[in-house]
């Protein structure tokens, strides 16, 4: 998908907050082989590398636009590299598989999570944060708009639904994998935005991207239709924007048969 780093970073502080909660779940050890799935423009990957002494960190992303922005920055960690690739087809073996707000773009988590877990070295850890805000009114509005004319025809009926599982389902997946130290929880991040237009700006940097890819010259018309509905649904100024996120971590046993 054609990601726009500038649009994504309009709410950089708010989007970064869950990263630090996720980082707090990571066992800090030296000399780790680490991959950051969906590294984006690299700022948080850099902070991850700084938190892991003497470790080799690879930032992986499928977006050339995001990686160009990451590579254009000067980072102090000599063992930090960025590569283009599909996070769902991860290869190699890793001490830490880390992913902050990226796996929601890969389908079928019931198969994806065990597949990533298998890429852990014995004693390795997986730590992931994914948005679980797909039932918020903003998502209902853009899906409804996409399902009505003229956009239904323009999009050829396209809709994208988040592949996020419940916290119980993630915990059960790891249990069936034989994982240890399983932690899964959902947290609501309480954001206060200027108005409903700001909510549209927020989702324009994430959830609406696959729609924009298909709308071409109809993108602005689509956004305006969403904006009009959002102003009715969220009339307050400022707007309280509770954002649900799911965080989970698990460890692979040192005693792997």
């Amino acid at each position: 998908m054609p990601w726009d780093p500038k649009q994504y970073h309009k709410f950089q502080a708010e989007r970064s907050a869950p990263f630090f909660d996720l980082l707090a779940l990571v066992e800090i050890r030296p000399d780790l082989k680490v991959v950051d799935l969906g590294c984006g423009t690299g700022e948080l990957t850099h902070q991850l590398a700084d938190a892991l002494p003497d470790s080799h960190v690879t930032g992986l992303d499928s977006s050339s636009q995001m990686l160009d922005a990451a590579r254009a920055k000067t980072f102090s960690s000599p063992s930090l590299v960025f590569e283009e690739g599909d996070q769902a087809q991860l290869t190699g073996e890793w001490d830490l598989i880390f992913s902050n707000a990226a796996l929601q773009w890969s389908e079928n988590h019931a198969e994806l999570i065990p597949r990533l877990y298998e890429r852990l070295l014995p004693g390795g850890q997986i730590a992931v944060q994914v948005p679980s805000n797909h039932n918020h009114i903003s998502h209902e509005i853009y899906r409804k708009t996409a399902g009505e004319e003229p956009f239904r025809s323009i999009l050829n009926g396209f809709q994208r639904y988040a592949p996020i599982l419940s916290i119980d389902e993630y915990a059960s997946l790891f249990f069936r994998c034989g994982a240890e130290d399983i932690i899964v929880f959902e947290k609501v991040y309480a954001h206060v935005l200027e108005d409903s237009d700001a909510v549209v700006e927020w989702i324009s940097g994430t959830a609406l991207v696959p729609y924009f890819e298909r709308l071409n010259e109809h993108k602005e018309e689509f956004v305006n239709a969403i904006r009009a509905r959002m102003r009715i649904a969220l009339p307050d100024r400022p707007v309280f924007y509770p954002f649900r996120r799911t965080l989970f971590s698990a460890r692979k046993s040192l005693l792997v048969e």
Side-chain angles (χ1 to χ4, degrees):
M1 293 183 294
W3 284 91
D4 182 348
K6 290 183 179 179
Q7 180 69 40
Y8 183 81
H9 281 312
K10 285 186 177 181
F11 301 95
Q12 186 171 9
E14 292 89 345
R15 295 192 196 279
S16 299
F19 166 85
F20 297 100
D21 288 335
L22 185 62
L23 183 59
L25 298 179
V26 173
E27 181 185 357
I28 306 299
R29 297 181 289 150
D31 303 316
L32 298 178
K33 184 181 179 184
V34 181
V35 62
D36 180 15
L37 303 180
C39 64
T41 54
E43 290 90 351
L44 297 179
T45 312
H46 169 55
Q47 295 197 46
L48 175 65
D50 282 349
L52 301 172
D54 302 317
S55 294
H56 181 82
V57 179
T58 299
L60 186 73
D61 206 286
S62 61
S63 168
S64 58
Q65 297 95 333
M66 290 290 197
L67 289 172
D68 286 345
R71 291 167 178 150
K73 298 177 174 66
T74 301
F75 293 118
S76 60
S77 303
S79 58
L80 172 59
V81 298
F82 295 98
E83 296 180 2
E84 187 169 349
D86 181 355
Q87 61 188 10
Q89 303 299 324
L90 180 66
T91 59
E93 294 183 309
W94 307 88
D95 294 301
L96 174 62
I97 297 174
F98 186 94
S99 184
N100 181 60
L103 289 190
Q104 71 272 16
W105 297 111
S106 295
E107 303 299 330
N108 197 348
H109 282 201
E111 293 184 2
L112 174 65
I113 299 305
R115 191 162 65 243
L116 292 177
Y117 178 83
E118 287 301 311
R119 289 294 168 188
L120 290 173
L121 289 161
Q125 181 182 9
I126 182 170
V128 172
Q129 181 271 122
V130 287
S132 47
N133 213 42
H134 42 276
N135 291 324
H136 186 264
I137 185 64
S138 59
H139 290 247
E140 294 177 9
I141 285 174
Y142 77 69
R143 286 193 293 262
K144 181 178 181 180
T145 304
E148 296 177 351
E149 297 297 347
F151 305 111
R152 179 179 173 82
S153 295
I154 296 168
L155 292 164
N156 293 317
F158 170 79
Q159 288 278 12
R160 187 178 190 277
Y161 297 91
I164 306 305
L165 304 178
S166 70
I167 56 177
D168 289 353
E169 288 172 313
Y170 284 119
S172 295
L173 280 177
F174 285 120
F175 177 76
R176 292 196 293 271
C177 288
E180 300 177 346
D181 303 329
I182 300 169
I183 299 172
V184 187
F185 64 93
E186 188 174 63
K187 179 175 178 177
V188 175
Y189 291 81
H191 302 308
V192 178
L193 304 184
E194 182 179 358
D195 52 24
S196 64
D197 286 0
V199 177
V200 178
E201 282 294 301
W202 181 297
I203 63 175
S204 292
T206 50
L208 297 185
V209 172
Y211 293 86
F212 291 165
E213 183 181 20
R214 293 163 172 82
L215 284 164
N216 299 317
E217 70 271 15
H218 301 283
K219 170 184 172 181
E220 195 60 34
E221 182 184 355
F222 183 63
V223 171
N224 286 338
I226 293 171
R227 189 178 288 123
R229 283 178 162 164
M230 203 81 75
R231 287 172 179 170
I232 295 171
L234 301 172
D236 294 339
R237 296 175 61 98
V239 166
F240 177 59
Y241 186 40
F243 202 109
R244 293 178 179 270
R245 296 181 183 270
T246 297
L247 296 89
F248 56 81
S249 170
R251 182 173 303 285
K252 197 171 192 176
S253 173
L254 283 169
L255 303 175
V256 179
E257 297 181 358

